[in-house]
Amino acid sequence: MPRSSWGTKTKIDKNKWRIRWCEWDGLNRVRRSKTLYPCTSREADDELRRLWQLHHLPPNERVVPCPTFKQCWDEWYFPQLEKQLENGDMSRSTFVNYRSAWRSKVSPKWANVAMNKVRVEEYQRWLDKFTAAQAHVSHIIILNLVNCARLHDVDGISFIDAKYKMPREKKSTGDSGLEVYTVAEIDSILESLRGSRIEGVVILMAKGSCRVGEAVAAAVKDITFDEHNGRTYAVYDLYHQYSQNNSFEPLKTAESRRPIIIPPPWSLRLAEIAKQRTEDQELYICDKGTGMPMDRKRITGEWIGYYRDGTINLRYLTMTKLRNSWATAMLWKYGIPAQMVDKMMGHAAKNILGKHYDRPDKELFIETVDSAYFGN
């Protein structure tokens, strides 16, 4: 069948073409169009041929041409990301990170390359140009693109099966000491920040495992108090986070939803903070006075400022290290098993037991913390 009987191409401008075709959506024939730029006449023909193979032939007769990385991104993977974001299966920050990595790292190198034409040596050299974090997210994008293509019956993409050497983080040459705070240092920080606007956020991170966005999202109404063995525990019902864009978003993963348990005496201090916010008619633990949480950048700025002005007289670590410090203390000082610490941190389970059977509730979290801190 001639291509013109199924699809057409129209020249709009130099190196710019519009193609039109019809698809079967399961019920009706649906007209589609697409603008290609920059694009030659031959490339427009190739794209029509690919779409014809994909949408016109019966599945058992299809030989799906291998797309370029950009074609795979535009037609399959990016729409999938948008749907995940819309359904709440992906946080906006993850969506933005993936889109940014595509635009700045992946697309400049691979956009117009056919996915089955990548050489292993060239791909390794490309990874070597990045930092460990940049290489990690870029490689994830490529893995997901290849998986999308394979799910659409594209064969012959073999470069991804090689075992690549990922760049490593450069080790610090300075004498900065440990990468986490000790328990004594955490207690000193909390005492130094007593009465500050970010005190409650730091308590939730350093004594409860919260990520920054999770702690910032804490509303006064989300925090309740439970008695156990004569001691008062604060329980933060964590169900969303506050993003860098200063908006509420779903948590990082489904497993991130969990009760955050704060033991005494910090639970009692959190109760005082919550009471003060209520008296001031403020809604959030780190309310900026408008009924909304403080901006993430402002919180980070205040954290740095307390080191610069001497309020915190300790070695400086980023605010995110408070969560690392909590995990280290739980494992090594208080002896809580790693699988339980994973649950309390909201990590995605990696085995069958964790994925399908291990379902601790608030009471079990409190019992675990109580036993670790007080030996009961």
Side-chain angles (χ1 to χ4, degrees), residues 197 276-277 280-295 298 302:
R197 269 286 165 177
Q276 184 62 54
R277 298 292 182 265
D280 294 338
Q281 297 184 332
E282 296 177 340
L283 301 179
Y284 294 91
I285 293 298
C286 65
D287 201 296
K288 61 181 178 181
T290 64
M292 289 292 290
M294 292 170 62
D295 296 351
R298 179 181 169 189
E302 291 204 10

Side-chain angles (χ1 to χ4, degrees), residues 178-181 186 189 193 198 201-202 204-216 241-242 244 252 258 296 299-301 303-304 307 315-328 345 347:
L178 300 174
E179 292 186 351
V180 296
Y181 291 113
I186 289 291
I189 289 171
L193 294 180
I198 67 171
V201 170
V202 176
L204 290 169
M205 294 181 67
K207 296 298 180 179
S209 85
C210 281
R211 300 175 176 92
V212 180
E214 295 172 346
V216 176
Q241 62 178 323
Y242 198 64
Q244 294 278 11
K252 186 175 182 181
R258 64 199 188 278
R296 291 275 298 271
I299 291 172
T300 302
W303 172 259
I304 296 171
Y307 281 87
R315 59 197 172 93
Y316 171 77
L317 295 177
T318 62
M319 201 172 186
T320 56
K321 293 297 183 181
L322 294 172
R323 177 172 152 92
N324 303 49
S325 303
W326 178 91
T328 302
M345 296 185 76
H347 289 162

Side-chain angles (χ1 to χ4, degrees), residues 64 97 146 155 192 225 284 303 324-325:
V64 181
N97 286 340
V146 171
D155 293 326
S192 298
F225 298 90
Y284 294 91
W303 172 259
N324 303 49
S325 303

Side-chain angles (χ1 to χ4, degrees), residues 266-279:
W266 307 281
S267 58
L268 303 178
R269 177 57 191 153
L270 202 56
E272 293 173 355
I273 295 172
K275 181 181 178 183
Q276 184 62 54
R277 298 292 182 265
T278 301
E279 291 175 353

